[in-house]
């Protein structure tokens, strides 16, 4: 029996509803498989914790998390109580940066039973690999002066190591999928970082002659995600570009509430972290109507990371069968509760 020890951070709002639902599903998956089990330990780090302690997590929080094989995160943030830049940088981004989770992966696909806002979605199935540690989200810059003379400077930082690392990860994924990588660029307008990005992409693709490639400006690429998403396989993008593209990907699926994400550590020194893309939705917390699919699909990505791709795919197939049968929460056109959706997924897993 292989046991995985998972640190669980439900976070804020509906995270406290959908995370327990996903843990139930993971236990059901383990029962069906018969050869794996999960040991979950939950931590109450959140805006509630901040209000009590003045910080989003304890000073030794990272040392605690380091002992686990993965971090399973819910939704973080409640701007009515804690400013977003404090809740985000005090927990989510702190874990990403200090655990060297340099790659972010977010899939988007035509999902059975969901109504895509696209008129002809054509069963798209794409994967965005986002550089997760530098780029436009670097912490280099500052503000000076006041009034009309005030200046804000934000520096984007691109290293060859970080850029190449993300690109090679994308190419390796493409080899397991449909053999195509699209690079998101803007070298016609951003004169230093994006030509550099293009140069590294050209260098890396020489090592993958079996993979087809395209380099597309981000503005056109954003439009193509809407007009022809079915042409994309793996897309590699910088931190900001990847963030924007993946929200478009979630939107064309029909709801950001079903979109998952994985933050991957490549060197094995620290655990990777898995989280849904959606926010904490404090306005619906406690009503029992939160959509658990984003968190459950996130669990599927964790199974993939542990090497159980077939098991993960089986889970996703079951989730799609449930939505295709019309058992859906209100946000995606159904009438089911969080509990009803979760219970039906578990029932079908155990059939």
């Amino acid at each position: 029996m292989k046991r995985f020890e998972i640190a669980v951070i439900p976070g804020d709002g509906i995270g406290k509803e959908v995370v327990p639902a996903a843990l139930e599903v993971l236990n059901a998956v383990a029962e069906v498989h018969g050869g794996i089990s999960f040991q979950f330990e939950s931590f109450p780090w959140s805006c509630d914790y901040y209000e009590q302690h003045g910080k989003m997590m304890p000073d030794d929080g990272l040392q605690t998390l380091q002992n686990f094989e993965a971090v399973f995160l819910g939704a973080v943030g409640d701007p009515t109580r804690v400013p977003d830049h404090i809740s985000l940088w005090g927990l989510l981004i702190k874990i990403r940066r200090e655990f060297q989770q340099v790659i972010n992966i977010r899939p988007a696909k035509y999902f059975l039973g969901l109504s895509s806002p696209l008129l002809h979605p054509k069963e798209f199935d794409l994967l965005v690999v986002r550089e997760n540690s530098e780029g436009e989200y670097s912490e280099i810059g500052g503000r000076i002066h006041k009034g009309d003379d005030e200046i804000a400077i934000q520096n984007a930082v691109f290293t060859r190591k970080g850029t190449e690392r993300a690109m090679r990860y994308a190419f390796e994924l493409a080899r397991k999928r449909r053999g195509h990588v699209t690079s998101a660029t803007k070298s016609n307008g951003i004169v230093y970082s994006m030509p550099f990005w293009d140069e590294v992409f050209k260098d890396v693709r020489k090592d993958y002659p079996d993979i087809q490639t395209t380099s597309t400006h981000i503005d056109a690429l954003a439009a193509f995600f809407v007009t022809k998403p079915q042409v994309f396989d793996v897309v590699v993008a910088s931190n900001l570009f990847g963030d924007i593209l993946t929200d478009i990907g979630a939107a064309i699926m029909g709801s950001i509430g079903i979109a998952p994400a994985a933050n991957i550590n490549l060197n094995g020194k620290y655990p990777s972290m898995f989280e849904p893309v959606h926010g904490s939705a404090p306005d619906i917390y406690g009503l029992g109507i939160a959509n658990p699919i984003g968190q459950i699909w996130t669990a599927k990505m964790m199974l993939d990371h542990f090497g159980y791709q077939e098991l993960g795919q089986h889970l996703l197939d079951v989730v799609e069968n449930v939505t295709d049968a019309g058992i859906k929460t209100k946000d995606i056109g159904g009438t089911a509760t969080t509990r009803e959706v979760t219970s039906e997924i578990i029932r079908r897993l155990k059939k």
Side-chain angles (χ1 to χ4, degrees):
M1 177 73 72
K2 172 64 176 175
R3 186 175 77 169
F4 295 97
E5 296 186 355
I6 311 297
V8 178
I9 307 175
D12 297 298
I14 63 170
K16 291 180 279 189
E17 296 177 294
V18 297
V19 166
L23 299 186
E24 286 187 59
V25 171
L26 277 169
N27 281 329
V29 167
E31 183 181 334
V32 169
H33 181 272
I36 62 172
S37 66
F38 297 100
Q39 180 69 43
F40 302 117
E41 184 171 347
S42 187
F43 299 92
W45 306 336
S46 61
C47 290
D48 289 339
Y49 188 90
Y50 182 89
E51 288 184 325
Q52 295 175 24
H53 302 279
K55 58 188 76 173
M56 291 296 295
M57 64 192 302
D59 294 336
D60 63 350
L62 291 176
Q63 291 96 306
T64 300
L65 294 179
Q66 189 173 340
N67 298 320
F68 292 87
E69 290 167 272
V71 179
F72 196 60
L73 181 71
V76 176
D78 185 345
T80 64
R81 296 187 293 151
V82 180
D84 276 341
H85 69 280
I86 291 177
S87 61
L88 191 66
W89 284 85
L91 187 59
L92 172 63
I93 294 183
K94 186 177 181 67
I95 296 171
R96 280 183 184 173
R97 294 289 171 90
E98 297 197 33
F99 279 0
Q100 299 174 21
Q101 294 168 350
V102 296
I103 302 292
N104 181 274
I105 310 169
R106 295 183 181 181
K109 66 186 292 294
Y110 178 74
F111 212 88
L112 293 176
L114 263 66
S115 178
S116 169
L118 302 180
L119 187 60
H120 301 293
K122 297 182 179 177
E123 299 190 3
F124 61 90
D125 182 358
L126 60 91
L127 193 63
V128 176
V129 174
R130 168 189 174 192
E131 198 292 314
N132 206 35
S133 64
E134 51 185 40
E136 303 90 347
Y137 290 178
S138 81
E139 297 175 66
I140 299 175
R143 294 170 66 167
I144 57 174
H145 307 315
K146 297 293 182 181
D148 292 343
D149 293 325
E150 188 170 11
I151 300 171
I153 298 172
Q154 178 74 48
N155 292 329
V157 175
F158 289 76
T159 65
R160 178 169 286 273
K161 179 180 180 181
T163 302
E164 182 173 328
R165 183 169 53 200
M167 291 175 177
R168 289 192 180 278
Y169 197 92
F171 275 93
E172 292 296 333
L173 284 176
R175 277 183 166 167
K176 301 173 185 177
R177 289 171 52 93
R178 302 194 303 277
H180 190 281
V181 175
T182 301
S183 169
T185 184
K186 190 56 181 170
S187 51
N188 63 344
I190 302 176
V191 297
Y192 295 116
S193 61
M194 285 295 107
F196 170 77
W197 176 278
D198 291 349
E199 291 165 15
V200 176
F201 188 71
K202 289 177 182 177
D203 289 343
V204 171
R205 73 182 183 188
K206 294 174 185 176
D207 294 335
Y208 297 88
D210 54 319
I211 303 298
Q212 294 182 308
T213 62
T214 306
S215 185
T216 306
H217 290 142
I218 184 62
D219 45 346
L221 188 53
F224 294 156
F225 262 44
V226 174
T227 58
K228 52 179 182 180
Q230 74 277 3
V231 306
F232 297 106
D233 180 17
V234 178
V235 179
V236 63
S238 68
N239 215 330
L240 176 63
F241 291 175
D243 196 4
I244 295 169
L245 287 173
T246 51
D247 275 8
I248 298 174
I252 62 177
M253 284 195 290
S255 172
I256 200 169
I258 72 164
N263 301 282
I264 304 298
N265 170 275
L266 297 178
N267 59 27
K269 295 180 180 178
Y270 305 100
S272 296
M273 179 168 62
F274 303 85
E275 52 164 332
V277 176
H278 64 69
S280 62
D283 57 318
I284 63 168
Y285 170 59
L287 300 180
I289 60 172
N291 190 341
I293 291 178
Q295 195 77 51
I296 293 169
W297 195 347
T298 295
K300 181 267 187 193
M301 296 188 77
M302 188 168 69
L303 290 170
D304 291 344
H305 179 70
F306 288 148
Y308 295 91
Q309 288 87 358
E310 289 186 9
L311 190 61
Q313 187 58 52
H314 175 59
L315 171 57
L316 188 60
D317 290 343
V318 168
V319 173
E320 280 199 86
N321 289 338
V322 169
T323 57
D324 197 34
I327 305 167
K328 304 178 288 187
T329 49
K330 183 178 179 180
D331 61 305
I332 51 175
T335 59
T337 64
T338 308
R339 176 75 264 154
E340 288 168 342
V341 172
T342 304
S343 296
E344 184 62 16
I345 290 170
I346 291 171
R347 187 187 73 81
R348 293 187 183 222
L349 275 170
K350 293 183 175 181
K351 283 178 62 176

